[in-house]
PDB file of all heavy atoms in Angstrom:
ATOM      1  N   GLN B  30      72.776 108.914  91.303  1.00 94.00           N
ATOM      2  CA  GLN B  30      71.734 108.097  90.701  1.00 94.00           C
ATOM      3  C   GLN B  30      71.473 106.797  91.576  1.00 94.00           C
ATOM      4  O   GLN B  30      70.301 106.366  91.679  1.00 94.00           O
ATOM      5  CB  GLN B  30      72.157 107.549  89.308  1.00 94.00           C
ATOM      6  CG  GLN B  30      71.959 108.671  88.310  1.00 94.00           C
ATOM      7  CD  GLN B  30      72.805 108.302  86.986  1.00 94.00           C
ATOM      8  OE1 GLN B  30      73.059 107.078  86.790  1.00 94.00           O
ATOM      9  NE2 GLN B  30      73.037 109.276  86.141  1.00 94.00           N
ATOM     10  N   TYR B  48      83.899 106.222  78.982  1.00 93.00           N
ATOM     11  CA  TYR B  48      85.370 106.271  78.999  1.00 93.00           C
ATOM     12  C   TYR B  48      85.928 104.882  78.844  1.00 93.00           C
ATOM     13  O   TYR B  48      86.322 104.281  79.889  1.00 93.00           O
ATOM     14  CB  TYR B  48      85.870 106.895  80.361  1.00 93.00           C
ATOM     15  CG  TYR B  48      85.148 108.226  80.689  1.00 93.00           C
ATOM     16  CD1 TYR B  48      84.061 108.165  81.530  1.00 93.00           C
ATOM     17  CD2 TYR B  48      85.574 109.353  80.067  1.00 93.00           C
ATOM     18  CE1 TYR B  48      83.450 109.386  81.850  1.00 93.00           C
ATOM     19  CE2 TYR B  48      84.922 110.564  80.470  1.00 93.00           C
ATOM     20  CZ  TYR B  48      83.870 110.519  81.269  1.00 93.00           C
ATOM     21  OH  TYR B  48      83.255 111.669  81.604  1.00 93.00           O
ATOM     22  N   HIS B  87      73.316 113.417 110.543  1.00 77.00           N
ATOM     23  CA  HIS B  87      73.144 112.764 111.742  1.00 77.00           C
ATOM     24  C   HIS B  87      73.653 111.336 111.728  1.00 77.00           C
ATOM     25  O   HIS B  87      73.868 110.789 110.661  1.00 77.00           O
ATOM     26  CB  HIS B  87      71.677 112.757 112.102  1.00 77.00           C
ATOM     27  CG  HIS B  87      70.855 111.991 111.124  1.00 77.00           C
ATOM     28  ND1 HIS B  87      70.554 112.514 109.897  1.00 77.00           N
ATOM     29  CD2 HIS B  87      70.256 110.781 111.165  1.00 77.00           C
ATOM     30  CE1 HIS B  87      69.821 111.597 109.270  1.00 77.00           C
ATOM     31  NE2 HIS B  87      69.649 110.595 110.031  1.00 77.00           N
TER      32      HIS B  87
END
Side-chain angles (χ1 to χ4, degrees):
Chain B
Q30 285 167 16
Y48 311 96
H87 62 286

